[in-house]
Amino acid sequence: METTQTLYLNLFGEDKIPVLKELLHACVDEICGRPGPTYHKFVNRMDWSKEEYEETYKLISNLLRNPASLYITEEKMPQEYHELPEHIQQNILLCLKLRREQLTDALLKECSKEKYETVIDFDWKLKLVMGSSKLASLREPLLQLDLMLESKNSKRILDMELNKDELDTFISTMESIVQ
C-alpha cells in the first residue's frame, strides 16, 4: 500500500499545482458558506479516482477547519500536514495566509452556532405613537426591531418594540459586547 506522501506526490505533481490551489480555495469557500469543490469539477484535469478525490478533499477540509492551522506556523500544524510533501505544505500555508481572516470568521461563526443563537439579520421600522387610551396626545417614537436568530437546528425572529431610552440601553449593551 502506498504511503500518504507517495499518494499525494502522485496526485499533485509539480504540473498539478494550479489544480491544488484551486481545490484549496474551493474548500475555503465551502467553509465560508459558498459552494465548494465537486469531483466533477476536477475529474477532467486530474487522473484520480472518486475515492482519491474524497480522501484528498477530506484531508484538506479537515486541515483548514482545524483551528491550530490558523496560527500559520509549521510547529503548530496538525500531524496530517507534516505527512504531506513539501510543495503541498507550502501551498496550504500560502492559502491559509491569504484566506486566514475569512476562515477565522467562518469557524467562529460555526462554533458559536453550535452553542448559542446568533443574529444573522435584522429589520426595523420607526413608528410615531400619536396617542393612547390613557393619553390623548402622546407623540412618542417607537422602534420596532426584528432580529433574525439562528441556532444549530432552527431559525426564529425576535420582535422588540423600544422607546428612545430602551433603544439607547440596547445600543450601549450591544456596543459593550462587541468591544
Side-chain angles (χ1 to χ4, degrees):
M1 185 164 190
E2 290 183 294
T3 66
T4 303
Q5 197 159 40
T6 307
L7 172 67
Y8 290 111
L9 275 173
N10 291 338
L11 292 177
F12 294 113
E14 294 294 330
D15 58 327
K16 301 291 186 186
I17 295 299
V19 179
L20 171 62
K21 290 178 180 180
E22 187 177 338
L23 179 61
L24 286 166
H25 287 283
C27 287
V28 172
D29 287 342
E30 182 178 55
I31 293 168
C32 294
R34 293 184 289 278
T38 62
Y39 174 68
H40 298 293
K41 184 176 182 178
F42 292 96
V43 71
N44 294 333
R45 296 181 300 174
M46 299 296 288
D47 299 324
W48 53 9
S49 67
K50 179 93 169 162
E51 293 78 28
E52 290 171 327
Y53 167 79
E54 293 293 334
E55 184 180 334
T56 305
Y57 164 75
K58 184 178 175 184
L59 173 80
I60 290 173
S61 187
N62 287 340
L63 276 173
L64 295 174
R65 285 183 186 277
N66 190 327
S69 297
L70 297 174
Y71 288 111
I72 312 178
T73 58
E74 298 256 348
E75 303 81 39
K76 295 184 180 181
M77 292 299 279
Q79 180 60 35
E80 300 86 22
Y81 169 85
H82 296 288
E83 294 172 0
L84 297 171
E86 182 68 28
H87 71 280
I88 296 176
Q89 290 179 8
Q90 294 308 313
N91 280 288
I92 290 172
L93 281 179
L94 179 62
C95 179
L96 284 168
K97 286 177 185 174
L98 292 172
R99 308 281 302 267
R100 181 182 186 180
E101 188 175 322
Q102 292 172 331
L103 268 173
T104 303
D105 291 346
L107 292 174
L108 285 172
K109 191 176 194 181
E110 193 176 283
C111 181
S112 88
K113 278 185 188 177
E114 292 288 320
K115 297 182 180 181
Y116 309 105
E117 286 186 318
T118 306
V119 175
I120 56 171
D121 202 2
F122 68 94
D123 190 19
W124 62 275
K125 295 176 189 166
L126 187 58
K127 299 178 178 181
L128 184 61
V129 178
M130 299 300 287
S132 70
S133 61
K134 295 181 182 177
L135 296 169
S137 61
L138 186 59
R139 299 187 56 87
E140 179 181 17
L142 290 177
L143 179 79
Q144 181 182 340
L145 180 62
D146 296 335
L147 299 176
M148 286 64 151
L149 305 173
E150 183 177 52
S151 64
K152 183 177 181 180
N153 300 319
S154 65
K155 290 183 179 182
R156 71 181 183 103
I157 297 175
L158 176 64
D159 299 321
M160 294 186 275
E161 200 167 79
L162 308 166
N163 64 26
K164 186 173 179 353
D165 295 334
E166 293 167 333
L167 180 60
D168 288 339
T169 303
F170 180 76
I171 290 171
S172 298
T173 303
M174 296 306 280
E175 285 176 345
S176 70
I177 290 171
V178 173
Q179 295 172 355

